[in-house]
Amino acid sequence: MALSEYMELSRQSSSKRTLQDCTSLLCRGGAPKYCEKGKFRALNQRCIRNHKIDDANARRIENPKSREKLLRYGDILICSTGTGTLGRSAQVLCHDERVTVDSHVTIVRPAYEALVEYLGCWALSSEDQFESMAKGSTGQTELPRTELAELEIGFPDAASLNDFSGKTKPLFEAIQSNVRENQSLECLRDALLPKLMSGEIDVSRIGLRQLNGHLVRLRTLVIVSRSTVYCMRAPFVG
């Protein structure tokens, strides 16, 4: 839904702007100094898959060299090196002041709030284009910042842009809510399953109907959560 509306709005827009003109920050992350007890974390390309950010592979670092590169809500992350990874993108839909990215990831920060959803849809629909822009030999490809900055984007008038943001913002918020819900369910599963397997938690006295009722509700929650993300993400992946 969000992507189809973006595509239509982009086609109807007679004005064009470069990505550089639409952003307040467009740069690669730094080369962080890793440490086990660091208070900050650095995302890498393995954290960006299927249009989502998974911080399971993030590494702890000391204080980042640039505070400007600490991630903010709405930032778009683009994998920028390596065949098979270059071009993957995802958008930051939560706010954690202690997260940045390493030098293999490009940060694209929308210039103002109304552009967050519009540029988010643009990035997720442009992954093939990013991949085609790769420079360098096989296995050592790079996404050039200068060429990325010069990409032209169909740019709507202010009223249309604000209307698009108003319509799609709740969808983006729902995606993040569902992701957080799935993460909570996964944590609950990981905590309970070993106890159930070991017998530490005894469910022998729980009636099957009662247990099945709980499982049905849990399964429904997971399906609704996943299907909502899928339905809103499906247009992005074609």
Side-chain angles (χ1 to χ4, degrees):
M1 176 181 174
L3 184 59
S4 61
E5 290 200 16
Y6 156 76
M7 297 294 290
E8 183 64 24
L9 184 57
S10 178
R11 281 194 295 266
Q12 293 175 356
S13 302
S14 57
S15 175
K16 290 187 178 296
R17 292 189 186 180
T18 64
L19 181 61
Q20 183 72 60
D21 293 335
C22 298
T23 58
S24 60
L25 180 68
L26 179 57
C27 67
R28 292 275 193 94
K33 185 175 181 180
Y34 299 106
C35 61
E36 292 184 2
K37 297 183 180 180
K39 295 182 179 179
F40 294 84
R41 292 175 297 156
L43 303 177
N44 52 59
Q45 294 189 119
R46 290 182 297 169
C47 300
I48 302 170
R49 295 179 184 275
N50 302 319
H51 304 149
K52 295 188 295 184
I53 298 171
D54 182 356
D55 62 0
N57 291 309
R59 298 179 62 185
R60 294 199 171 275
I61 62 172
E62 294 181 352
N63 291 344
K65 297 179 180 179
S66 172
R67 294 275 174 170
E68 187 180 31
K69 295 181 182 180
L70 291 174
L71 300 183
R72 304 176 187 176
Y73 178 87
D75 283 356
I76 298 159
L77 309 182
I78 305 175
C79 295
S80 301
T81 64
T83 304
T85 54
L86 189 151
R88 293 197 312 234
S89 64
Q91 190 166 27
V92 178
L93 297 178
C94 60
H95 184 61
D96 188 336
E97 297 178 348
R98 296 170 296 176
V99 180
T100 184
V101 296
D102 68 14
S103 59
H104 299 284
V105 179
T106 297
I107 304 171
V108 179
R109 180 167 296 157
Y112 47 90
E113 186 176 353
L115 276 172
V116 167
E117 294 78 23
Y118 191 78
L119 286 187
C121 290
W122 165 80
L124 294 176
S125 66
S126 301
E127 289 185 336
D128 289 342
Q129 184 177 14
F130 299 151
E131 187 176 359
S132 70
M133 295 166 60
K135 304 293 184 183
S137 58
T138 303
Q140 298 181 354
T141 53
E142 301 270 344
L143 178 63
R145 181 204 172 281
T146 51
E147 293 186 20
L148 184 64
E150 292 169 359
L151 286 178
E152 289 190 335
I153 302 171
F155 201 83
D157 59 78
S160 297
L161 183 62
N162 288 329
D163 182 60
F164 177 83
S165 177
K167 289 180 179 178
T168 56
K169 192 177 186 66
L171 303 180
F172 280 67
E173 291 175 346
I175 290 175
Q176 187 55 31
S177 176
N178 291 328
V179 169
R180 286 196 297 266
E181 187 67 43
N182 280 341
Q183 290 172 341
S184 297
L185 290 171
E186 289 170 0
C187 290
L188 180 61
R189 176 202 63 197
D190 294 342
L192 290 178
L193 187 58
K195 297 179 184 295
L196 290 169
M197 296 294 289
S198 67
E200 183 178 346
I201 297 179
D202 183 8
V203 296
S204 61
R205 297 185 179 181
I206 298 179
L208 288 178
R209 289 186 178 180
Q210 181 182 0
L211 179 59
N212 286 335
H214 287 303
L215 291 176
V216 167
R217 286 194 293 272
L218 179 60
R219 183 172 179 270
T220 301
L221 177 59
V222 173
I223 289 175
V224 169
S225 181
R226 287 179 178 171
S227 64
T228 303
V229 174
Y230 173 76
C231 289
M232 297 164 65
R233 201 179 67 209
F236 298 154
V237 297

